[in-house]
Amino acid sequence: MTNAVSDYFRTIWKAISTIAIGLKTTFPHLFTPSVTLQYPDQKMKLPERVRNRLYVNIDDCIGCDQCSLACPVDCITIETIKSTPDQDLGVTSTGHKKRLHVPQFDIDIAKCCYCGLCVYPCPTECIVMTDVYEFSEYDRHNLVYNFSRMVPQDIETAKAKLKKAEEEAAAKKAAAAAAKAASADSAPGQSKPPAS
Amino acid sequence: MEELLRSIPILGESILLYLVLAALPLVFMLLYALVTVWVEMKVSAHIQDRLAYMRTGPHGVAQPIADVLKLLQKENTVPATADKFLHALSPYLVFAGTYGAFAAIPFSSAYIGSNIDLGVFYLVAVSSIVVVGILMAGWASNNKWSLFGAVRSAAQIISYEIPAALAILVAVMISESLNLQVVSRLQQGGIQDWIVFGGALPLTQKLLVMPFTIIAFLMLLIAGIAEVNRTPFDLPEAESELVQGYNTEYSGMRFAVFYMAEYANMFVVAAIAASLFLGGWASPFGEFLSGPIWGFVWIVAKGMFIVFVQIWVRWTLPRLRVDQLMYTAWKVMIPALFLCVFAVGLILVL
């Protein structure tokens, strides 16, 4: 009986004291500065080596395709056209000679998993991860970034030149082969079987 | 106030005068609801170390207006199986119950909607109409959540009317009047004459009575929070259990009416507690800063302080279980208040 009575009063005391503790805890928080940021106006400082949107400095790209090979999700698509000896594509800022046209350098950033594996193999350090993280789009297709600056005309020209050069080379080769054949015909005993 | 309005020639003796007098609390209620919605959001956010609205105007002061505009534009959906008539009627019944309570609240020494001798009794009675409206909303929605919320609300409000009435009785015993205007006038002497500190009694009686009046005042606050269905007594609209309780099926303006009635009810409860225990429109400094206009400022300040306490409690305490709710009302508050009533009566007789 006495136990029940003391329990009753203990319960009431517990309720009152815990309510007081609760109110005492929350009241000072009314005056503590907020921990949230007013996002579009204020932004959180990002870590120094943050990995966000990829950027390609296409002027430095030598079209080696190593980033595309390294990509675990295959979000980088690169197409190259060989340059002909008469064209000079210049050198990259790191001193590499550019030998390939890059008509297509697409990154599907929607697929990108921000692992940064494409950054390490690049010999000219032209593919980097920036700190830009606000790039939402209404259309998914807008997330495929085209970094190549070659217009269709340039691509046609480069392709035509390469074709011409290849044809010329083939013609030269044929001519050389013909010449060889002719010389072989004139001296059949000295001819050797062609190397496999 | 009545004399002042009577002096305006257009109003004169016409019925228009009484319409204007009756509309004054409505104007107050609308403005108060806009302010309190903002205060509630700000207090809740700052207690959680956030900032709440910051975009609409400086510190989001225009947000309640934007909310009202949004609700006005919203579609008024009614469930296909609902009782259309009752569904439409209930928000207005809840609102009418709340608005009816404003009639007997003394806003200043010069203005009270209806200066009736049974003011406190009327307030206790008319605020019970809210239960009918809530039950009606729950039943008419034809939704299990709504009905659960409504039934809980009815059980809760009816339970907590008893401690509220007993706490009011303590104040009434000391002031010997049910007219809130008279009760407020009795407390005009300054903070020491407030009924929470024993009222204008002789010193020995006052000191003896003081612990009981303080308990009664706190109990009235607790019962008030329970009567307006707010956390920690928000079982009728427990979001985590009942979606939104009795107003689950309401949208647009009808929801806004429910919402405003809830906030207005908070002020009714606060104003009753302030009038009975904290001096109502009486200045805490006696004659200093008293007068009809200051009276309005004082009762609104006292009422808003109690509303702030309600908000503070809401964002501090978790919800009670149903059995805890009933335990608090029937096994703790009612016995304690009976003790208070008995003790105060004994002290006053002796």
Side-chain angles (χ1 to χ4, degrees):
Chain A
M1 181 59 202
T2 44
N3 208 9
V5 171
S6 65
D7 273 356
Y8 173 79
F9 285 108
R10 201 177 301 123
T11 319
I12 293 172
W13 173 246
K14 210 173 157 190
I16 293 167
S17 56
T18 48
I19 287 169
I21 290 168
L23 292 174
K24 218 164 72 187
T25 311
T26 52
F27 192 74
H29 279 274
L30 283 171
F31 308 104
T32 39
S34 127
V35 294
T36 55
L37 285 176
Q38 294 296 297
Y39 163 61
D41 304 331
Q42 298 170 301
K43 280 175 189 166
M44 199 180 264
K45 200 179 174 307
L46 292 171
E48 201 184 334
R49 300 175 68 177
V50 66
R51 297 198 307 255
N52 283 310
R53 181 157 77 171
L54 278 168
Y55 175 71
V56 177
N57 182 6
I58 199 72
D59 290 336
D60 277 2
C61 181
I62 57 168
C64 64
D65 210 28
Q66 289 192 53
C67 51
S68 169
L69 289 170
C71 181
V73 292
D74 290 340
C75 71
I76 306 174
T77 315
I78 298 174
E79 215 175 82
T80 51
I81 301 172
K82 277 184 204 161
S83 65
T84 50
D86 60 314
Q87 286 171 304
D88 182 20
L89 298 179
V91 287
T92 66
S93 57
T94 48
H96 291 74
K97 183 144 178 33
K98 296 211 277 186
R99 292 195 173 85
L100 296 164
H101 292 285
V102 187
Q104 192 195 11
F105 197 122
D106 289 355
I107 296 179
D108 190 347
I109 206 77
K111 278 190 200 163
C112 181
C113 64
Y114 306 97
C115 59
L117 288 177
C118 53
V119 175
Y120 306 116
C122 184
T124 63
E125 288 173 14
C126 75
I127 184 164
V128 287
M129 303 207 94
T130 60
D131 58 358
V132 180
Y133 54 90
E134 294 156 309
F135 48 93
S136 51
E137 293 281 355
Y138 285 103
D139 189 343
R140 184 151 43 97
H141 302 293
N142 293 342
L143 285 168
V144 180
Y145 295 148
N146 308 307
F147 287 101
S148 176
R149 279 204 299 269
M150 287 181 83
V151 294
Q153 218 176 355
D154 289 347
I155 298 169
E156 286 306 311
T157 323
K159 273 186 180 165
K161 271 195 174 166
L162 179 64
K163 204 176 173 191
K164 207 175 143 199
E166 272 173 350
E167 272 166 3
E168 271 172 12
K172 230 183 233 172
K173 216 177 185 179
K180 229 179 191 177
S183 63
D185 279 345
S186 60
Q190 291 168 353
S191 76
K192 285 174 190 169
S196 67
Chain B
M1 197 65 170
E2 211 178 317
E3 281 71 39
L4 186 77
L5 284 172
R6 202 164 267 152
S7 64
I8 301 168
I10 315 167
L11 297 173
E13 290 292 317
S14 66
I15 188 135
L16 211 60
L17 168 78
Y18 294 98
L19 282 177
V20 169
L21 280 174
L24 286 175
L26 188 66
V27 174
F28 170 77
M29 202 162 144
L30 293 167
L31 292 174
Y32 150 83
L34 290 178
V35 172
T36 312
V37 167
W38 184 82
V39 169
E40 165 115 55
M41 285 303 129
K42 281 289 173 185
V43 169
S44 73
H46 282 276
I47 278 177
Q48 296 164 0
D49 290 352
R50 296 180 288 118
L51 283 172
Y53 320 127
M54 290 297 282
R55 303 247 120 208
T56 39
H59 282 259
V61 286
Q63 187 66 39
I65 298 164
D67 283 346
V68 169
L69 287 177
K70 182 199 79 176
L71 282 169
L72 278 170
Q73 291 169 47
K74 278 205 162 184
E75 188 192 353
N76 212 347
T77 47
V78 180
T81 51
D83 186 326
K84 304 265 180 320
F85 176 68
L86 293 183
H87 189 267
L89 181 66
S90 57
Y92 303 108
L93 197 70
V94 171
F95 185 78
T98 310
Y99 187 41
F102 272 84
I105 293 172
F107 276 103
S108 108
S109 53
Y111 180 78
I112 181 165
S114 171
N115 195 8
I116 40 176
D117 286 339
L118 282 174
V120 181
F121 187 73
Y122 165 78
L123 280 172
V124 172
V126 84
S127 58
S128 304
I129 291 181
V130 174
V131 188
V132 181
I134 288 172
L135 257 183
M136 204 184 254
W139 182 258
S141 296
N142 203 357
N143 173 323
K144 289 186 190 73
W145 307 128
S146 300
L147 188 60
F148 262 123
V151 170
R152 281 184 184 187
S153 180
Q156 176 178 322
I157 295 180
I158 289 166
S159 302
Y160 277 86
E161 293 247 293
I162 299 162
L166 286 170
I168 286 169
L169 193 60
V170 172
V172 167
M173 281 163 76
I174 292 169
S175 63
E176 295 173 2
S177 172
L178 284 166
N179 186 333
L180 279 176
Q181 196 73 290
V182 175
V183 176
S184 300
R185 207 166 290 139
L186 280 171
Q187 302 175 71
Q188 262 178 325
I191 197 163
Q192 74 280 2
D193 277 2
W194 289 3
I195 293 178
V196 71
F197 302 123
L201 293 171
L203 191 65
T204 32
Q205 270 188 325
K206 205 174 149 102
L207 288 175
L208 282 171
V209 127
M210 209 191 292
F212 300 106
T213 48
I214 290 171
I215 289 173
F217 174 63
L218 294 176
M219 293 277 180
L220 183 63
L221 285 187
I222 295 169
I225 296 173
E227 279 199 56
V228 293
N229 299 330
R230 286 172 63 82
T231 318
F233 303 106
D234 69 334
L235 291 112
E237 43 191 86
E239 292 94 342
S240 49
E241 303 160 26
L242 298 181
V243 190
Q244 189 46 250
Y246 57 87
N247 55 27
T248 304
E249 297 289 359
Y250 284 86
S251 62
M253 215 45 221
R254 287 179 190 165
F255 175 74
V257 170
F258 265 126
Y259 205 65
M260 204 175 79
E262 188 196 315
Y263 276 91
N265 231 338
M266 277 164 72
F267 187 79
V268 170
V269 167
I272 293 172
S275 299
L276 284 171
F277 286 98
L278 301 183
W281 44 258
S283 161
F285 314 113
E287 284 299 305
F288 183 60
L289 295 183
S290 60
I293 292 165
W294 276 110
F296 178 73
V297 172
W298 283 122
I299 191 163
V300 171
K302 287 165 186 172
M304 286 310 278
F305 172 72
I306 295 172
V307 168
F308 166 74
V309 171
Q310 289 179 345
I311 294 171
W312 179 21
V313 167
R314 173 172 181 180
W315 295 100
T316 301
L317 299 176
R319 187 182 307 133
L320 264 67
R321 241 186 301 135
V322 181
D323 62 318
Q324 292 168 335
L325 179 92
M326 290 300 165
Y327 181 93
T328 312
W330 292 99
K331 285 189 163 177
V332 180
M333 287 171 73
I334 292 176
L337 282 163
F338 268 125
L339 182 73
C340 284
V341 169
F342 178 73
V344 171
L346 204 68
I347 293 162
L348 288 176
V349 167
L350 290 174

